[in-house]
Amino acid sequence: MKILITGGKGMLGRTLQKELCDNEIVVADIPEWDITDADAFTARTIAEAPDVVIHCAAMTKVDDCEAKRDLAFKLNEEGSRNVALACKASGARLIAISTDYVFSGEPPREPWAWSETDIPRPRTVYGASKFAGEQMMQMILPDAVILRIAWLYGAGGPSFVHTMAKLGAQEGPALRVVNDQRGNPTSTKVVADVIRFLLSRPDVSGIVHGTCEDQCTWYDLTVELFRLMGLKREVVPCTTEEFPRPAPRPRNSALKKSVLNLLGYRTPRWQDALRDFVVSPDSGL
């Protein structure tokens, strides 16, 4: 099939180009393709006539979104609306990438994982703008797929995994890593595999969670990464309060894969996906 990928030059977009290369791929990214220009984007989409649009383009730097609220909503809400309108005009199926940040991160109990039916209550500009984009796309295209992912890392980075691998290879005092935020570390390869499955299921629509199985903290992730890489730098746990950031981080944004599991599809455990990534020759670690 013919697949158009918005934000195709980004970390996830690059992986999708590689993993879905048995299809005809069209890369849509700035400056040539601008999702904030509704008329131009629709015209180019109609001209390309894709079967599917995978919408990855977004403003994803959480702290930058907090400082630049209008730009975040322009890209994440209005841009997503424009992509949905282009899909409607061209007849393309839409698979759009969203985030765990649509949830408050304050679960009622531990351990907890948010399901597709839980009500989003974002606490950040990033989360609010992405949730607004979800709503726009579903209003325009009720049969769109909204694929929420989290704690992403992939070939070439940038990502938390790449940053910690670099720090772990350096000499210095013990690294302090947050140990009271929980989520599902997920590789772009796992997301690409989920999308490949969704491409084979045109009957699927609505919200789908597509992260790895099991949950951990940033400290747990770092310890496992260093073990896999044979890095000896010491790592010690710390609290969120010791690393204040402009945008509040979710204490628990782990996602439950209820839809995928119902369809008979299971993502790998985060430990297994991380191991596969570390030994991959194109990881960039």
Side-chain angles (χ1 to χ4, degrees), residues 1-233:
M1 63 182 69
K2 189 173 187 179
I3 301 173
L4 188 153
I5 305 172
T6 73
K9 297 176 185 176
M11 183 173 68
L12 178 56
R14 296 193 305 269
T15 298
L16 291 175
Q17 288 186 61
K18 177 183 177 183
E19 296 297 325
L20 303 179
C21 64
D22 51 337
N23 300 278
E24 181 181 354
I25 302 294
V26 178
V27 176
D29 212 325
I30 54 176
E32 298 84 8
W33 292 57
D34 185 352
I35 62 172
T36 66
D37 188 334
D39 292 340
F41 188 86
T42 294
R44 290 202 64 169
T45 303
I46 291 173
E48 288 289 347
D51 298 297
V52 180
V53 172
I54 303 175
H55 177 38
C56 303
M59 184 173 179
T60 58
K61 293 183 178 179
V62 179
D63 292 329
D64 285 355
C65 288
E66 213 68 20
K68 302 174 181 177
R69 187 181 190 280
D70 290 347
L71 180 59
F73 274 87
K74 182 177 182 179
L75 290 168
N76 296 342
E77 180 184 21
E78 294 180 26
S80 295
R81 178 199 63 192
N82 296 340
V83 171
L85 289 170
C87 288
K88 186 173 184 178
S90 65
R93 185 187 185 200
L94 174 59
I95 299 176
I97 303 300
S98 193
T99 174
D100 57 329
Y101 269 70
V102 301
F103 294 112
S104 67
E106 301 297 335
R109 64 181 182 273
E110 297 283 358
W112 177 266
W114 302 92
S115 77
E116 291 88 344
T117 56
D118 285 322
I119 299 172
R121 291 187 175 89
R123 297 175 60 230
T124 63
V125 170
Y126 171 61
S129 63
K130 289 293 288 183
F131 181 47
E134 287 187 9
Q135 293 175 302
M136 277 286 186
M137 290 183 286
Q138 289 190 297
M139 180 177 64
I140 295 165
L141 284 179
D143 60 348
V145 175
I146 309 295
L147 179 63
R148 292 177 182 150
I149 61 176
W151 291 31
L152 196 65
Y153 61 89
S159 73
F160 176 85
V161 167
H162 288 84
T163 298
M164 299 314 294
K166 183 177 180 180
L167 291 173
Q170 300 171 359
E171 294 184 358
L175 293 171
R176 294 160 58 237
V177 183
V178 171
N179 196 38
D180 58 2
Q181 297 172 21
R182 302 188 67 82
N184 312 110
T186 304
S187 71
T188 54
K189 172 64 166 59
V190 168
V191 176
D193 290 343
V194 171
I195 290 176
R196 182 182 291 279
F197 172 73
L198 292 172
L199 291 173
S200 74
R201 293 295 302 262
D203 57 315
V204 175
S205 62
I207 305 293
V208 179
H209 289 173
T211 55
C212 283
E213 287 287 348
D214 295 348
Q215 55 180 263
C216 69
T217 69
W218 295 109
Y219 170 79
D220 298 330
L221 173 57
T222 303
V223 169
E224 181 65 6
L225 174 67
F226 284 15
R227 185 189 73 81
L228 290 168
M229 296 186 68
L231 300 175
K232 303 302 182 183
R233 189 166 181 179

